[in-house]
Amino acid sequence: MCNNCDCSNCHNNAEHKMKRHNAIKSCLGRNPDAFRSKIAGGRSGEAKGWHNKGCNCKRSGCLKKYCECYEANIKCTSSCKCVGCRNYDDSSEMNLEEKIVNVKDKWPESVITPAVVEAVCGSLLAQAEKAERKAQSPVQAEHMVLDEFGRCLTQIVKAMFKN
DNA sequence: GAGTTTGAAACT
DNA sequence: CAGTTTCAAACTC
């Protein structure tokens, strides 16, 4: 109940007991978890646990306390629907597969999708094998692979600016 | 401290 | 379920 608040026309007090009870009831009717913590796992306020529902941040980059994940001291996950998120693990120890998954989860709008990464890697490998078959010198082989990489990047950049 | 930004929750 | 409104906390100056 309110106590020493500055609210006007307040019904959250003993005088409106019934009204208050009904309000709580209809609130819980809509969402049974309305008065429960949104952070599961670790004890309150620690860097443990995870956000049950994820955040929906649009402009804060999830790096300000407007973001529920950031405020709870946890990283955003794929259950978030945030845009432009910078609150995620970017560890250099991550292997390639984890990085690809990370791209998929956090930048759904990116053109560098797992499929694109695979395609690029595949054509670079093909180029390297071609050089091997033609018994090119290491320098020539490098040149062929880098040429191919350049073509791939050009296509990716073109696709990015299409939108 | 006033004014602005932000996003969850409520609402439609 | 998607779009809109509300509003208090976070933030900025």
Side-chain angles (χ1 to χ4, degrees), chain A residues 1-49:
Chain A
M1 290 186 190
C2 284
N3 182 30
N4 294 330
C5 304
D6 277 338
C7 35
S8 56
N9 192 29
C10 182
H11 289 189
N12 182 26
N13 51 37
E15 287 90 296
H16 296 82
K17 209 172 169 184
M18 284 314 293
K19 212 170 212 178
R20 187 172 176 276
H21 269 288
N22 290 336
I24 292 173
K25 223 168 86 182
S26 76
C27 187
L28 287 173
R30 267 181 267 112
N31 173 16
D33 291 332
F35 294 97
R36 293 195 49 218
S37 165
K38 275 171 289 191
I39 310 299
R43 285 275 145 244
S44 56
E46 270 312 310
K48 284 238 168 179

Side-chain angles (χ1 to χ4, degrees), chain A residues 20-92:
Chain A
R20 187 172 176 276
H21 269 288
N22 290 336
I24 292 173
K25 223 168 86 182
S26 76
C27 187
L28 287 173
R30 267 181 267 112
N31 173 16
D33 291 332
F35 294 97
R36 293 195 49 218
S37 165
K38 275 171 289 191
I39 310 299
R43 285 275 145 244
S44 56
E46 270 312 310
K48 284 238 168 179
W50 59 95
H51 201 292
N52 282 333
K53 211 164 57 106
C55 64
N56 297 283
C57 306
K58 297 280 184 288
R59 314 185 53 82
S60 65
C62 300
L63 288 182
K64 295 183 177 178
K65 285 206 194 172
Y66 298 124
C67 173
E68 290 199 346
C69 297
Y70 179 85
E71 180 166 31
N73 219 314
I74 57 183
K75 302 294 176 189
C76 287
T77 67
S78 51
S79 60
C80 299
K81 297 190 200 78
C82 40
V83 176
C85 181
R86 308 290 308 161
N87 178 32
Y88 55 87
D89 278 317
D90 195 19
S91 152
S92 49

Side-chain angles (χ1 to χ4, degrees), chain A residues 11 30 42 81 99 103 116 138 143 145 160:
Chain A
H11 289 189
R30 267 181 267 112
K81 297 190 200 78
K99 280 179 179 167
V103 165
V116 169
H143 203 138
V145 173
M160 286 172 78

Side-chain angles (χ1 to χ4, degrees), chain A residues 112-133:
Chain A
I112 307 176
T113 60
V116 169
V117 174
E118 282 211 42
V120 170
C121 289
S123 65
L124 294 185
L125 253 172
Q127 205 62 13
E129 282 163 359
K130 194 172 166 187
E132 206 167 53
R133 278 200 304 279

Side-chain angles (χ1 to χ4, degrees), chain A residues 97-121:
Chain A
E97 190 188 334
E98 284 170 327
K99 280 179 179 167
I100 291 172
V101 167
N102 200 31
V103 165
K104 187 172 86 181
D105 282 349
K106 299 312 302 170
W107 294 323
E109 74 279 13
S110 172
V111 297
I112 307 176
T113 60
V116 169
V117 174
E118 282 211 42
V120 170
C121 289

